[in-house]
Amino acid sequence: TKILANKELFEKGVSKAEIDEYERKLWILKALSFVHKEGDKNVLDKAGFETFLKRLNAAKIDKSGYIEMTSTMEVYFMLSDWNAYVNNAILYMKKYKGKASPMLTWNWGARLEGACKDKELRLKYVEELEPNYNLIKKTDTEQAIIWADGMKSLFAKLKN
């Protein structure tokens, strides 16, 4: 787009952070374009999505890891591929441990609670989410306090 082609010019009128956020959103939107309808089902253009991920990693833009993770989770959500959704979220929690974002992990859990009917997958997720949240409590007390009530409620809902 014209904004990205003229980043330096636009950064004079708005902050670099705003331009970077816009760029991240464009990448995520592009990732979602690889999901399309076939009949009543969402289908992923796997080859296109894999090429997209290679381009993303080669671009070396700010927070490309966040874009890849968010895009992948959105794709799994759109496909209702709950097994992949849960496994990817668990990989994230295991990788980042106490530095995992409680906002992301709560949001993923809330999506599971609202749309995934597979009790085993819901339990698998909450069995990783609870100890991860306990790690967050040790490393980021402020975030732990902010998310305490929401997490407690989510744990209960996912177990039912």
Side-chain angles (χ1 to χ4, degrees), residues 106 113 119 122 152-160:
W106 185 90
E113 191 272 323
K119 187 151 179 85
R122 292 162 59 112
K152 183 178 177 182
S153 174
L154 183 62
F155 297 156
K157 289 177 182 177
L158 288 170
K159 290 175 182 177
N160 289 329

Side-chain angles (χ1 to χ4, degrees), residues 32-117:
L32 302 182
S33 74
F34 294 102
V35 177
H36 60 275
K37 283 272 191 207
E38 283 187 11
D40 62 345
K41 202 172 180 188
N42 283 336
V43 177
L44 176 64
D45 169 2
K46 289 179 186 176
F49 188 67
E50 288 172 10
T51 300
F52 162 81
L53 292 176
K54 287 177 187 171
R55 283 183 51 223
L56 172 64
N57 289 320
K60 298 192 186 310
I61 63 166
D62 182 45
K63 298 187 180 178
S64 61
Y66 169 81
I67 296 167
E68 181 175 350
M69 181 261 312
T70 301
S71 299
T72 301
M73 291 300 286
E74 286 296 317
V75 165
Y76 291 148
F77 176 74
M78 292 171 73
L79 298 174
S80 298
D81 185 345
W82 298 114
N83 189 53
Y85 190 87
V86 166
N87 289 330
N88 202 50
I90 289 171
L91 285 174
Y92 169 81
M93 287 185 273
K94 286 183 176 185
K95 179 178 180 180
Y96 291 100
K97 299 177 177 36
K99 299 217 183 286
S101 166
M103 179 191 71
L104 292 175
T105 57
W106 185 90
N107 282 329
W108 296 334
R111 281 183 157 185
L112 275 174
E113 191 272 323
C116 176
K117 304 306 174 209

